[in-house]
Amino acid sequence: MTDDKIAVPSGGSPRAPTPGSLTRWDTAYHKWKLLSPRFRAAAAGAFVSTVVLVSFSVAKAGIAPRIVSTMAVLASLVTILGLFDVKIREFPSLSRRAAGGLIYLILVMNVLAGTGWGISSYHQAHRAVDVLAMITISRNIDLRPDGAPATLDAPITAQRDDIVLVFQAVDHNPEGGICTPFAEFLVTRRLSGNATAPVAAAPGRPVRVDLPRGGTNVHLEIALKDARQLRNCGVDLRVTSVKLANR
């Protein structure tokens, strides 16, 4: 590369280079300096934001993000070629005016895509996860205040603060007495033999139980508490909703 420098007058605008005195890279640099500061900032922003979005899309699984990133790279490449007025045989090129318009279009699209991506990522990280179909429940038929508690196991498929459950109580033997209007459940989480404080749960109302950090499964015990203290009062426990959610 030659050591010739682009002469810049006191006004700050680069002077036209002497023909044959500059290499291709020096010529590209000279054309870049001829652009307005606002346009250079827009072009740099479009390039950086495209690189960031492409990096995230490549890390994501699925074909759709990779197709979008490939199209963004091609659009940016064509824009750069037009911006610097580079001509390559059998490669599409744009006029500088068209390249300028595309620069701003790419910048706006990247901002919108980045904003949408951020909102989507936040939603995915904080949305409630339904695990009702994956639970295992036992001893939930003819549950009595003085009997063994029912047990429920649910997988922790996403890291969340709580497991939110909704129970339903049905009288096991209506002829023996109506129990459901007075039924209340006490939910206890057990981990490695240690039990948490029981959490009261009324039928039909959501109850929250905190989840262990880093766990893959939660084990709960659900005991029946009868406000009338009738030992012969039995209910069938049903679970209508189980979700992992943040507070």
Side-chain angles (χ1 to χ4, degrees), residues 12 16 18-19 36 39 46 55 68 70 72 74 79 82 84 95 98 101 145 157 167 169 187 192 197-198 236:
T18 304
S36 67
F39 192 85
S55 301
V68 172
T70 302
L74 291 177
T79 302
F84 293 109
S95 66
T157 58
F167 301 116
V187 184
S192 302
D236 294 341

Side-chain angles (χ1 to χ4, degrees), residues 176-194:
I178 303 300
C179 307
T180 53
F182 311 97
E184 186 179 17
F185 300 109
L186 296 176
V187 184
T188 304
R189 175 172 64 82
R190 285 193 176 273
L191 179 64
S192 302
N194 299 318

